[in-house]
Structures are given as structure tokens and as C-alpha cells.
Amino acid sequence: MEFILLVFIFILGTAVGSFINVLEARLYKGEDIFKKPSHCDFCRKRLKWFDMVPILSWVWYGGRSRCCRRKLNWQYPIVEFITGVSFILIFLRTAIASLLHCFIAGKNIFLCSLTMEQLNNGTIVFFIIFALCFAIFLQDLKYQAIHQGLLNLLLITTFIFLIIINFSEFTNLRIYEFRSKFQIPDSKFFQNIAVAFISSLPFYLLYRLSKEKWLGEGDVWLVAWMGLFLGWPRVFWALYAGLIFGGAVSIMILFLHLKKMRDTISLGPFLLIGVIISLLM
């Protein structure tokens, strides 16, 4: 049963990864996400369901479109695989914490196996937050722009998540228990709002003073989300790690002559890497 559950979560993750590929591209191009049917990137022919099976369709057709046999981007299976693995890791961290909780409580750890019980509301919300962050990561990396709709959805989801955490001990949603097991920072709601404002203020000033030459408006909103989600002091470590890592990569890119000094380099992906580092600390 444990293996079947992990396979189910991986398949769920790959399906979400497939949607992320559609989401980041269509939002940037201004296309409708839900009403417009999936189509071939080249000949625009409508795809069948068997053309869109995550990873397997790409492998089966040799990385080419079935309708016009044009070579497809490696991004599709890679994003689907990464999302599937990430969903498993998110679930396992919650599940392992549950097993440790059983052990500390003096229960028989062998009777506390992996079950759907660990796939609680908090885990699902974290799946959503990860998916939105991954879409933002890809969009900023590819197009050096972040769609405001993605940022708004991420901020609203996190905002609601934090509200529920503050009152979850009075509900049956069990997100409070999830937060403590997953080591999510303490959700002092109003404090996190203040941290979001203070941490994003320097970036907003840079954005305004440089007239978007140094960084974009999307980066300001992304930093605001980091403050809201991480709180203090994790947002400091996330910004520190993201900026240091981004600076090192930028220097390497310039050294290898992959870009020129006047070219712009996306900041968003490095900030999100900083978020991951801060959560692992």
C-alpha cells in the first residue's frame, strides 16, 4: 500500500507538472488557460488525450510531436519528472515527521505506516504553493518576466493558508499539525504581513529608482510573498542565499561570455532557490 500511495503521488505530481508547462507558456503569451484546448506547438493541431500522458507520451513518440513529427522541447518531461519527485519529497517529509511523532509519543512505529492520512490539507496546500512557485521559476527563467496572475494566486493562497493556520486548532483541517511537523515557520499573521512589507520595500525602491532597469515589479511582489510565507528571520536567510547564489552564477555567466554586462539576468529563480535553502536550514 505504501508503494501504491507513492506511485499515486508521483503520477499526481507529473500531471501537475504537465499543467505547469501549459500554465507558464500560455500566461506569458496571453492565451486562455482553460477554454482553449491543448494543441501542438508547431502545427497547432488539437491534441488527443494519449498525446498528453505525462512523460510516457514524450518517450513513446521519441520526443517528437505525433501530428507533425517536429522535435519537442526537453522541458516537458523534465518539468513533469521534477514535479512528481518533488511531490513525493513533500509528502515523505510530512509522513516521516508523523512517524517520528508516533515514536516520541511512545507508539509502535511499525503500526504507523504511510497512509492517505498523511496526505492532509496542509500537504495539498503545499503542493499548490510549490506548483505556483515552479511555474514562476520557469516563466522568469525563460522570458525574464513573471505574470501578475501567478503572483496574485500565490499571494492569495499563502494568505488564506496563514489565516487557516492561526485558527486551525479550532477546526478539523489539521494544518496546524502539518505546520509543526513540516517545520513551517511560526505563522504570526500580522507579523508576517509586516515582514512582507519591510522586506519588499528596498526592492520596491530599487525598482522605482532604476525604472525597471535593475529589477522588475514581479521581483518586488515575489519578495513580498517570501516575507509573508517565511516570516522573520527565514526571509533574511532566503534573500541572502538567493542573492549570493544569483551573484555567483551571474559572475560565472559573464566570465564564460554567455551574456554581456548590459544584458539582464532573471532574479526570481535565485530568490526561489533561496526559499528552498531557508526551509532546509
Side-chain angles (χ1 to χ4, degrees), residues 12-13 16-17 19-20 23 83 86-87 90-91 119-136 149-161 164 175 178 182 225 229 272:
L12 173 66
V16 172
F19 180 69
I20 289 173
L23 184 67
T83 308
S86 298
F87 271 34
I90 291 171
F91 170 75
L119 196 61
N120 55 41
N121 297 279
T123 313
I124 294 172
V125 173
F126 210 80
F127 284 165
I128 296 172
I129 290 176
F130 170 81
L132 291 171
C133 287
F134 200 10
I136 290 172
L150 283 176
L151 290 166
N152 291 341
L153 189 55
L154 181 61
L155 284 164
I156 291 170
T157 302
T158 305
F159 189 82
I160 295 173
F161 184 50
I164 294 175
I175 294 184
F178 163 83
F182 208 88
W225 168 78
F229 179 63
L272 291 172

Side-chain angles (χ1 to χ4, degrees), residues 176-190:
Y176 182 82
E177 180 185 2
F178 163 83
R179 179 187 59 77
S180 61
K181 290 178 179 179
F182 208 88
Q183 299 177 359
I184 297 300
D186 291 337
S187 57
K188 297 177 181 178
F189 184 68
F190 294 105

Side-chain angles (χ1 to χ4, degrees), residues 104-148:
I104 294 171
K107 299 179 182 179
N108 189 337
I109 195 171
F110 296 103
L111 299 179
C112 301
S113 58
L114 301 179
T115 63
M116 287 296 290
E117 187 177 347
Q118 275 82 43
L119 196 61
N120 55 41
N121 297 279
T123 313
I124 294 172
V125 173
F126 210 80
F127 284 165
I128 296 172
I129 290 176
F130 170 81
L132 291 171
C133 287
F134 200 10
I136 290 172
F137 179 96
L138 291 171
Q139 194 173 75
D140 199 17
L141 190 65
K142 289 174 60 179
Y143 309 112
Q144 295 186 335
I146 305 175
H147 193 277
Q148 189 62 42

Side-chain angles (χ1 to χ4, degrees), residues 230-246:
L230 297 173
W232 183 263
R234 284 185 184 253
V235 67
F236 170 79
W237 295 115
L239 289 172
Y240 179 79
L243 293 174
I244 291 295
F245 183 65

Side-chain angles (χ1 to χ4, degrees), residues 222-267:
L222 186 58
V223 173
W225 168 78
M226 290 168 63
L228 183 66
F229 179 63
L230 297 173
W232 183 263
R234 284 185 184 253
V235 67
F236 170 79
W237 295 115
L239 289 172
Y240 179 79
L243 293 174
I244 291 295
F245 183 65
V249 172
S250 299
I251 291 173
M252 187 179 300
I253 289 174
L254 292 173
F255 180 77
L256 296 175
H257 302 289
L258 298 177
K259 285 195 174 187
K260 298 180 180 179
M261 186 68 71
R262 63 175 178 270
D263 294 333
T264 57
I265 298 175
S266 300
L267 179 62

